[in-house]
Each structure stands twice: as structure tokens, then as C-alpha cells.
Amino acid sequence: MAATNRRGGYGQTTCFLVALCWHLASTVATEQSCTLETDFKDDDFPCRKWLHCRQPTDWTSLSAEIKTKSENDRLCAIVVDCANTVTISNFDFQTIGGQFGRVLNVTISRCNATQVSLADDMYLVVELGLDGNAFDSLDFLKDWQSTEFEVLDFHNNRLRTVRQTDFANFNHLSSLRLDANHITDVAANSFLNNHELVSVNLANNRLQTVGERMFAGMDALKIFATGWEQNQHFGRRNVH
Ligand SMILES: *[C@@H]1O[C@H](CO)[C@@H](O)[C@H](O)[C@H]1NC(C)=O
Ligand SMILES: *[C@@H]1O[C@H](CO)[C@@H](O)[C@H](O)[C@H]1NC(C)=O
């Protein structure tokens, strides 16, 4: 009789512990939005670990996760996708205090962001993706004139103009996505210094006229201005 009771007691304890552990595990799982993945591969730079953060709840918890993971593992990419479920206006990597000396790729998608500041040790970043946010100007780029950007993706934002200085110091820029913005004009000589630029996507903007010197200085054979025809079509349609 006593033994049966004791077994019953163990059973209840086990059930209680399993339930508690399950509860704790699921609580922790919902609080973490970032997972460490290991299939990132850069041909020029052997680098494997990247952090993929899906639908973070706010900047405070997201930045804490990024800090922990970047201190424990040498990250080569940080990819955040808010999937339009939350607004995180300011991605200020300078305040995180992590270690970003190997990060090659920073991608922030669909967060309604308007500001981003790279940390001082993010000097290797070659790809910056900020698609699906709320950037209305490229002013934030002026702080990063010394970085090594090769790929910039600003598609699906609210950019209105491209100024001559915006990309002036990005000598290694090869691919630029500016499609699906509200761009009405691109200043002459905007890409004068971008000798390695081979692709500029300006589709789905509000360009009405094509400045003669918009692509001045670029090797004409290398220009691949995707969506150019759509822009001109859009312009013509508006004229009639
Ligand atoms: C950077 O990350 C984004 C998002 O995962 C990806 O689409 C892009 O290809 C990456 N760039 C490189 C150079 O790996
Ligand atoms: C995006 O952010 C602005 C403030 O910067 C806010 O007014 C707007 O509601 C946000 N949009 C969404 C879809 O969260």
C-alpha cells in the first residue's frame, strides 16, 4: 500500500517536472527570436555562422540577443526579418557592444525602420540589405563613407531622390537596388565614382525624365539598369 502510494507520488512529481520544464522551454522559445545558422558561405572569406532573427518583439530584447550571440560566436551575417509584425525604427548597432569584426552581411527586412547605425567594428560589411522599411532618404549613409559596400539593397522603401553625394565614396559598389521606392529624380553624376557598378535597379519608381548624365562615368557596356523600360513607360503614360 505504502509502495503504491510512493510510486503515485513519484509519478505526480515527474508529471509536475515535465510540465514545468515544458512550460519553461516554451517560454524561453517564444522570447528568443534569433537562431544561429551555419550554412553562410562567402567565397573570399571562410565564414560560416550567421544569425537569423525572425519577428523580434522589440529592440531591447533583439539587441540583447544579438549582443550575447555575437560575443559567443564570431558572426559573419546578421539577418533580421520583422515580417511587418513590429516597428523597430532605429537599429543602432553602436549601442550593442558586441563583436562584429567578421560581419560581412547586415540585412534588416520589413521592420518599418528609418534609421540604422553600424557599429565601429563593422568595417568588413560588404552587403547591406534594408528592404521593406520606411527610409525616405539616404542621409544615414553619410556616416559610412569608408565602408566596403559591394551590394546595397534598398528596395521597397520611401526614397524620393538620389543625390550626387549619396554613393560617391563607395568605390567597390557593384549592385544597387533602388526599385519600388518613390524616387522622382537621380542627380547627374550620382554614379561617377562607382567604377565597379554593374547593376542598378530603378524599376517601379516615379522617374519621369532620365538625366543625360545620370550614369556618367560608368562603362556603358556594364550598365544593367533593370526596369528602365518600365520607368520610361510610366513616364509616357503620365504624359498622355
Ligand atoms: C545577405 O543576406 C541576405 C538575407 O539572407 C541574402 O539574401 C543575401 O544573399 C546575403 N548576401 C550574401 C553576399 O551572402
Ligand atoms: C511605421 O512607423 C511609423 C512611425 O515611424 C508609424 O506611424 C506607422 O504606424 C508604422 N507602420 C506600421 C505598419 O507599423
Side-chain angles (χ1 to χ4, degrees), residues 48-118:
R48 309 268 312 154
K49 291 183 180 176
W50 60 291
L51 195 62
H52 193 175
C53 305
R54 300 172 184 83
Q55 301 189 20
T57 51
D58 55 65
W59 174 246
T60 307
S61 54
L62 176 64
S63 58
E65 268 194 80
I66 294 175
K67 179 178 167 67
T68 307
K69 304 259 165 58
S70 65
E71 281 172 345
N72 295 342
D73 296 279
R74 307 186 77 185
L75 302 177
C76 42
I78 298 172
V79 177
V80 180
D81 185 2
C82 300
N84 297 321
T85 57
V86 64
T87 290
I88 298 180
S89 307
N90 186 2
F91 280 78
D92 191 350
F93 288 97
Q94 288 189 327
T95 62
I96 295 182
Q99 292 168 34
F100 303 114
R102 286 168 73 100
V103 173
L104 299 167
N105 183 339
V106 175
T107 298
I108 296 160
S109 302
R110 305 189 290 175
C111 294
N112 199 20
T114 53
Q115 182 67 36
V116 55
S117 306
L118 294 188

